[in-house]
Amino acid sequence: MLIELGRCGPRNMGQIGFMHTERYNPHDVEAKWQKIWNDRQTFVTREDDARPKYFVLEMFPYPSGRIHMGHVRNYAMGDVVARYRRARGFNVLHPMGWDAFGMPAENAARQNNSDPAAWTYANIAAMRGQLKSMGLSLDWTREIATCDPRYYKHQQKMFLEFVKAGLVDRKQSRVNWDPVDQTVLANEQVIDGRGWRSNAPVEQRELTQWFFKIGSCAQELLDALDHLDRWPEKVRLMQKNWIGRSEGLLVRFALAPAGAEETPEIEIYTTRPDTLFGAKFIAVSPNHPLARKAAGTNPALSAFIAECNRSGTSAAALETAEKKGFDTGLKALHPFDADWRLPVFVANFVLMDYGTGAIFGCPAHDQRDLDFVNAYGLGVTPVVCPPDQPPADFIILKTAYEGDGRMINSRFLDGMSVPEAKLEVARRLESALLDNRPQAKRQVNFRLRDWGISRQRYWGCPIPIIHCPDCGAVPVPDADLPVVLPEHVNLAAPGNPLDHHPRWKHAACPLCAKPALRETDTMDTFVDSSWYFARFTDPWNESAPTTPAIANRWLPVDQYIGGIEHAILHLLYSRFFTRAMQKTGHVGMSEPFEGLFTQGMVVHETYKSASGEWIAPKDVRLEIQSDIRKAFAPDGAELVIGSIEKMSKSKKNIVDPDDIIQSWGADTARWFMLSDSPPDRDVIWSEEGVQGAGRYVQQVWRLIGALCELACQPGGQIPPEVSAVSENIRRASHSHVKRVQDHIERLRFNTAIAEIRKLTNALNQFIDDIANTPVPPDAAFAFREAAEFLVRAFAPMMPHLAEACWQQLGYSTPVAEAPWPEIEPRLAASERITLPVQVNGKKRAELSVDRDADLKTIEAEALALEAVMQAMDGKPAKRIVVVPQRIVNVVT
RNA sequence: GCCCCUGUGGCGGAAUUGGUAGACGCGUCCGACUCAAAAUCGGAUUCCGCAAGGAGUGCUGGUUCGAUUCCGGCCAGGGGCACCA
């Protein structure tokens, strides 16, 4: 699907014979200017720059080996912002680095029998070259890679500081365990209850792991969302739901003495204390201490618990799982009636790590409880009656009622609303005593769990802890940091390579010097990406993660750009980490990203052969046969054109940025990526689209050539007399560029590009109009101004073409160092405007008036219009609505 | 199941946020240049209608002088969370 380039023909443009133009050759021009920018250090950010700062950051890439179109889109957007802000007089920081730890390196190394570090650094080198060919205005002197000990040593130090500051926990937690690979699996690595690599049934295991106490910041992380007003509403909402705050009541139930004297009570958490009189049972999680204790004397219960733990925690497994329970024989006393005894079950649907791991079941108003009750025949009593429903007729069979209403069957609560009943129950139980303590207390719970960071893997940041049999978990002393990963590890054996290493894990206890063992778990790679933005502010500091004075000048990031897939984890972790860094004195603020933008994906049509094989776009030839698009394989066989989907290896619908840049140039790729689709939506990569962008590159090059012939020398002054025509040229330049500016500031790159194209179209028209006539000095000035405005307006998107044009216009320094055009407000708004005139809401005519004509004049002129009189059909005007500078509506 | 977003020509989309619906581009068609093709340039392109004119922003009702925009109901597509008590 590649198009041949480089064929030239005589141009044929109006009657003026400008002969200068050769076809623009992106290949040579782009390399040339990339070298010039590099030699001049145009994009190196200096600290001794007094101008206001602007930190633009795109999410840094994982060094997978090659950049993909998603990267091109992401970095093209960031680069527009960076170049625009630079032109607007900001001291811009625009760095790049590598999110370089992670499993793919281990897998690749295992496959190729090589080394994760070598694989990673080779990939970084390849991708750096590709990014450079895009002409991004990056400060490469600040490049960092998270797998570099010079980076992760600070991370290890911060980990220990966080431990000291009470932000880290070490506790048992249940994990998905792959018995074949002998490793922990994330939930998304469990497919249908089996390990994604080994295909072995996944087990639940208790492991002691390190946790960042993100839960302790839940309320703060939630509250601060309200102030992130330059974040997409959608992301804030997703984070809000993820944090999942709920207000409820902790209620203690006394247990009837039944041989369980040591646990005389059970505590549950509920958000529906109002439904307490509808309670039919109590249920605890299989991992609740009470369940475990009871299992000790009851083999059947023990077997039931084991069965619950065997089944996976994956979403799919849970959805289909039936509600199952095991009656412990224990009875709980209803808090408002000691004679009312509720059976206590161990139930598979009760989660241990939310609330207290125990619930009371009210089947009438909770679907899960209803399903459970229907399976075990425990009965249903409705206690909330929907409005407009006689309580006598209200019965619950298979669907629980979770809506609002009035209390029924609830003794002293009867007749109350749900909120009133909640309050009343809380009030009564808070003052009631059980065992000399209040029977209940109000509590806020969060869905957000602490962040488990331990990973049983090699290619990650080692956790700097030494486990001593006598002293326990001991921090590695400062002087011994970083704890560096060993080289030449055996990745072939299952399990954690660090654990297998013959020497690495053996160390002396820093406190007592006895033989001890290093922590062999490494950190989740999300830790690496939770602070890299801060490291960019001073990547040269060897003794600390940041230099606070410098970090505080640059942070927060003014504009962060990346994929929506990181809406929750990466962004939430970074917000937590920034708070932790604030508490440990590394930064002076709590929020890392002032402005966030989430861009859409790059998608492409899919093609499939008759035999069901996916075919790559570059091997497909498209034709239109009698209005129907058809696709053909190289051998001529017709292909099925499939749906448009995210570019992926599995569907082979990938277009390699390298190929595009080679054949079209970076500017064409960038321009196409930014045009058409709004940046937050998906963009469809199409060959026609690239062709259109490539065509525009040539069109601009020709236009600038033509303008050069008509324009005055650089630095010309406005002549005293300016004709109407020249004034119109100037109006076009100023008004369109003003709008380009507005669109870029709102990150509306597609409409910014439409506006630039409008200016090009207008200028082509002006050139045609002036054809064959001498160019007076005022027009020569207007044309020069127009050319310079245009070039500077598209320079953020097509920087190489802009440089070539700028040079053509007679400048010897890069346009990348030139300021944004100075816009005269007088010229950006037109003097005369065209008002649509409606009669009874239907447009019937247009009226051209002065911008600030008074209402009376407009009314009179509107009524005098032929078309208006006709539409009014002799009826008098009842009312005339004139909205200044908008519309006239005559109502009859 | 809960929460959220989006529905506009053949296609991607625009509409100053209640004021000319379809900007800008892609595609298609017609024309110019050419022996020819490519490239380039000009024109047409929401639908119905020869036309005058009429209809039209998923469907449906409402508010308004005026609704793609605001409100109610429905339909379709997409996303997030998911046994969170």
Side-chain angles (χ1 to χ4, degrees):
Chain A
M1 283 174 63
L2 299 180
I3 296 300
E4 244 176 275
L5 268 188
R7 287 193 230 174
C8 303
R11 61 189 306 283
N12 172 22
M13 191 170 173
Q15 288 74 31
I16 313 173
F18 7 76
M19 299 274 67
H20 97 94
T21 319
E22 293 187 9
R23 243 184 119 76
Y24 175 75
N25 177 340
H27 205 264
D28 299 348
V29 174
E30 292 185 354
K32 169 183 158 181
W33 286 100
Q34 284 163 18
K35 180 165 189 317
I36 293 174
W37 294 328
N38 187 54
D39 292 348
R40 294 176 63 91
Q41 305 201 340
T42 300
F43 308 124
V44 174
T45 306
R46 289 176 213 297
E47 290 302 326
D48 58 355
D49 189 326
R51 294 175 301 166
K53 69 96 182 180
Y54 200 92
F55 191 171
V56 196
L57 186 66
E58 299 97 64
M59 291 181 183
F60 68 162
Y62 178 79
S64 57
R66 301 191 67 75
I67 63 168
H68 53 69
M69 279 300 172
H71 291 128
V72 174
R73 193 174 194 207
N74 193 178
Y75 300 138
M77 286 179 192
D79 204 42
V80 171
V81 175
R83 287 175 182 270
Y84 171 76
R85 288 290 162 183
R86 230 175 255 119
R88 291 307 300 267
F90 287 89
N91 184 25
V92 170
L93 177 57
H94 188 212
M96 181 55 73
W98 310 96
D99 189 13
F101 272 137
M103 282 219 306
E106 275 183 55
N107 295 339
R110 195 177 289 116
Q111 232 165 43
N112 314 331
N113 197 20
S114 67
D115 173 38
W119 182 85
T120 303
Y121 279 108
N123 286 350
I124 288 177
M127 288 175 76
R128 186 192 298 118
Q130 291 185 304
L131 288 184
K132 287 195 170 178
S133 75
M134 280 184 67
L136 303 169
S137 66
L138 292 165
D139 180 354
W140 283 102
T141 66
R142 294 169 187 256
E143 181 182 354
I144 53 177
T146 56
C147 64
D148 187 334
R150 287 171 299 177
Y151 180 82
Y152 69 69
K153 90 171 187 191
H154 302 294
Q155 192 165 306
Q156 293 178 339
K157 198 168 163 210
M158 282 192 284
F159 172 87
L160 296 176
E161 288 170 358
F162 293 176
V163 171
K164 240 186 228 163
L167 293 162
V168 182
D169 233 0
R170 187 160 181 261
K171 60 186 179 191
Q172 289 242 317
S173 115
R174 284 153 41 77
V175 294
N176 299 307
W177 180 259
D178 185 321
V180 171
D181 280 358
Q182 295 187 24
T183 186
V184 167
L185 298 175
N187 270 337
E188 54 271 21
Q189 291 165 343
V190 181
I191 299 155
D192 293 332
R194 289 167 180 273
W196 66 291
R197 256 170 48 84
S198 68
N199 204 33
V202 167
E203 297 170 5
Q204 304 289 303
R205 272 219 186 169
E206 295 256 345
L207 285 188
T208 305
Q209 305 208 287
W210 293 94
F211 287 83
F212 282 145
K213 292 204 242 172
I214 190 170
S216 66
C217 292
Q219 188 67 54
E220 205 190 323
L221 289 167
L222 180 68
D223 292 342
L225 285 173
D226 288 340
H227 307 294
L228 295 174
D229 40 80
R230 284 185 50 228
W231 279 41
E233 191 51 48
K234 182 187 167 133
V235 174
R236 289 195 282 172
L237 190 72
M238 280 163 72
Q239 293 214 351
K240 190 180 166 207
N241 292 339
W242 186 263
I243 294 169
R245 183 183 199 274
S246 74
E247 289 178 14
L249 201 61
L250 277 177
V251 185
R252 296 160 60 220
F253 282 67
L255 287 175
E261 294 79 7
E262 287 165 45
T263 48
E265 65 171 66
I266 182 166
E267 192 172 39
I268 62 102
Y269 175 74
T270 180
T271 56
R272 294 296 304 270
D274 52 305
T275 63
L276 215 40
F277 286 104
K280 293 293 170 190
F281 64 94
I282 299 285
V284 303
S285 162
N287 298 297
H288 194 278
L290 185 101
R292 296 196 163 186
K293 187 162 179 298
T297 56
N298 186 340
L301 176 56
S302 177
F304 175 77
I305 293 172
E307 189 198 319
C308 291
N309 281 340
R310 248 195 315 278
S311 62
T313 57
S314 73
L318 290 174
E319 195 169 2
T320 50
E322 263 176 58
K323 306 271 180 292
K324 283 186 194 151
F326 190 101
D327 192 344
T328 60
L330 296 171
K331 302 287 177 199
L333 310 189
H334 194 281
F336 288 119
D337 184 349
D339 294 331
W340 183 347
R341 301 194 163 199
L342 296 161
V344 178
F345 281 81
V346 175
N348 65 345
F349 66 97
V350 181
L351 303 174
M352 189 56 224
D353 49 1
Y354 185 79
T356 61
I359 61 155
F360 86 85
C362 174
H365 306 290
D366 184 294
Q367 191 59 46
R368 295 156 302 183
D369 297 347
L370 183 62
D371 294 345
F372 186 77
V373 153
N374 283 341
Y376 291 87
L378 299 171
V380 180
T381 307
V383 290
V384 179
C385 185
D388 312 322
Q389 172 117 28
D393 304 354
F394 185 50
I395 39 170
I396 301 269
L397 291 173
K398 289 210 161 138
T399 310
Y401 177 70
E402 295 176 1
D404 225 336
R406 292 272 153 196
M407 303 308 299
I408 53 171
N409 303 326
S410 294
R411 306 188 189 181
F412 54 84
L413 298 175
D414 282 349
M416 289 185 186
S417 70
V418 167
E420 284 165 355
K422 281 182 181 173
L423 266 178
E424 181 62 19
V425 169
R427 213 179 48 74
R428 290 197 184 212
L429 290 181
E430 273 175 333
S431 46
L433 292 182
L434 175 65
D435 227 9
N436 254 340
R437 286 187 297 128
Q439 182 143 25
K441 71 174 194 213
R442 288 170 225 231
Q443 168 142 334
V444 172
N445 264 358
F446 295 94
R447 215 192 66 102
L448 181 68
R449 305 290 152 79
D450 279 343
W451 173 17
I453 61 156
S454 298
R455 297 289 182 273
Q456 292 69 41
R457 304 213 171 90
Y458 165 70
W459 194 233
C461 172
I463 296 173
I465 291 286
I466 293 171
H467 297 285
C468 170
D470 293 345
C471 312
V474 182
V476 172
D478 245 26
D480 296 343
L481 293 181
V483 176
V484 182
L485 286 171
E487 293 173 20
H488 312 298
V489 289
N490 176 11
L491 292 161
N496 181 356
L498 290 179
D499 210 27
H500 302 323
H501 195 274
R503 294 172 308 278
W504 187 80
K505 69 177 170 184
H506 299 284
C509 170
L511 295 181
C512 68
K514 277 197 201 129
L517 293 177
R518 281 188 194 287
E519 172 74 57
T520 55
D521 286 354
T522 52
M523 293 184 207
D524 180 3
T525 56
F526 273 116
V527 180
D528 312 338
S529 55
S530 290
W531 69 283
Y532 76 106
F533 44 88
R535 184 66 186 165
F536 278 134
T537 61
D538 185 4
W540 303 282
N541 187 337
E542 289 177 17
S543 61
T546 66
T547 307
I550 297 175
N552 294 342
R553 190 157 67 238
W554 284 111
L555 293 171
V557 174
D558 295 273
Q559 187 63 61
Y560 195 35
I561 307 178
I564 185 77
E565 66 272 22
H566 293 114
I568 297 174
L569 293 185
H570 163 59
L571 291 168
L572 196 61
Y573 291 154
S574 297
R575 295 181 62 216
F576 163 76
F577 215 91
T578 303
R579 284 168 169 77
M581 286 177 79
Q582 183 183 30
K583 288 191 182 109
T584 48
H586 297 297
V587 296
M589 75 292 302
S590 51
E591 287 294 337
F593 312 120
E594 174 109 10
L596 173 70
F597 187 85
T598 51
Q599 104 255 9
M601 296 183 299
V602 183
V603 296
H604 196 287
E605 241 174 14
T606 51
Y607 309 100
K608 214 175 197 176
S609 72
S611 57
E613 246 181 301
W614 298 105
I615 309 290
K618 68 175 176 200
D619 297 326
V620 172
R621 185 171 46 83
L622 291 169
E623 266 180 35
I624 292 180
Q625 291 179 0
S626 51
D627 279 1
I628 296 167
R629 291 176 72 240
K630 293 194 169 180
F632 298 94
D635 62 9
E638 188 171 347
L639 302 170
V640 178
I641 300 181
S643 58
I644 295 170
E645 298 189 49
K646 179 180 184 175
M647 286 191 181
S648 74
K649 276 182 196 157
S650 61
K651 303 238 161 105
K652 285 200 183 164
N653 58 340
I654 292 181
V655 175
D656 189 337
D658 243 12
D659 292 346
I660 299 296
I661 291 172
Q662 278 303 311
S663 45
W664 291 97
D667 287 339
T668 296
R670 295 169 57 132
W671 185 258
F672 172 52
M673 270 308 182
L674 297 166
S675 39
D676 287 353
S677 288
D680 51 346
R681 283 201 224 166
D682 291 352
V683 62
I684 302 171
W685 183 275
S686 74
E687 190 58 27
E688 293 89 345
V690 189
Q691 284 173 26
R695 202 151 51 221
Y696 184 70
V697 168
Q698 299 297 337
Q699 208 178 312
V700 168
W701 179 241
R702 283 195 306 274
L703 172 62
I704 294 297
L707 287 169
C708 281
E709 306 249 330
L710 303 169
C712 65
Q713 289 306 300
Q717 297 297 306
I718 310 179
E721 294 280 309
V722 177
S723 68
V725 173
S726 303
E727 184 80 354
N728 283 340
I729 298 171
R730 298 198 67 206
R731 284 187 184 284
S733 313
H734 285 256
S735 62
H736 286 301
V737 173
K738 170 71 170 66
R739 266 170 286 192
V740 172
Q741 180 182 315
D742 294 343
H743 288 305
I744 292 181
E745 296 208 348
R746 291 165 55 208
L747 307 179
R748 302 284 303 256
F749 306 118
N750 57 325
T751 45
I753 279 178
E755 207 61 42
I756 292 171
R757 296 189 92 129
K758 274 188 217 173
L759 175 57
T760 342
N761 294 348
L763 293 177
N764 271 321
Q765 190 60 53
F766 284 125
I767 292 175
D768 269 6
D769 291 349
I770 208 169
N772 276 340
T773 61
V775 182
D778 61 324
F781 173 83
F783 278 129
R784 159 147 301 269
E785 184 184 58
E788 293 189 359
F789 268 47
L790 174 65
V791 171
R792 283 182 289 171
F794 73 70
M797 293 96 167
M798 299 192 289
H800 312 88
L801 175 65
E803 294 295 0
C805 293
W806 197 241
Q807 193 176 43
Q808 183 86 359
L809 282 164
Y811 288 93
S812 54
T813 54
V815 69
E817 295 170 20
W820 190 252
E822 202 75 54
I823 287 153
E824 290 181 34
R826 178 184 71 84
L827 293 169
S830 55
E831 278 175 326
R832 280 187 79 76
I833 51 171
T834 306
L835 286 181
V837 183
Q838 298 180 333
V839 177
N840 293 328
K842 275 210 164 87
K843 187 193 161 191
R844 298 294 176 180
E846 283 183 348
L847 182 63
S848 177
V849 295
D850 281 348
R851 230 171 81 81
D852 27 44
D854 65 293
L855 298 186
K856 284 271 175 276
T857 319
I858 295 175
E859 275 183 25
E861 286 187 31
L863 288 174
L865 290 168
E866 184 71 25
V868 172
M869 291 199 285
Q870 212 176 340
M872 287 172 72
D873 200 21
K875 289 181 208 140
K878 255 192 234 153
R879 182 177 168 189
I880 304 176
V881 183
V882 180
V883 184
Q885 295 174 46
R886 286 272 190 276
I887 204 166
V888 181
N889 191 11
V890 182
V891 188
T892 62

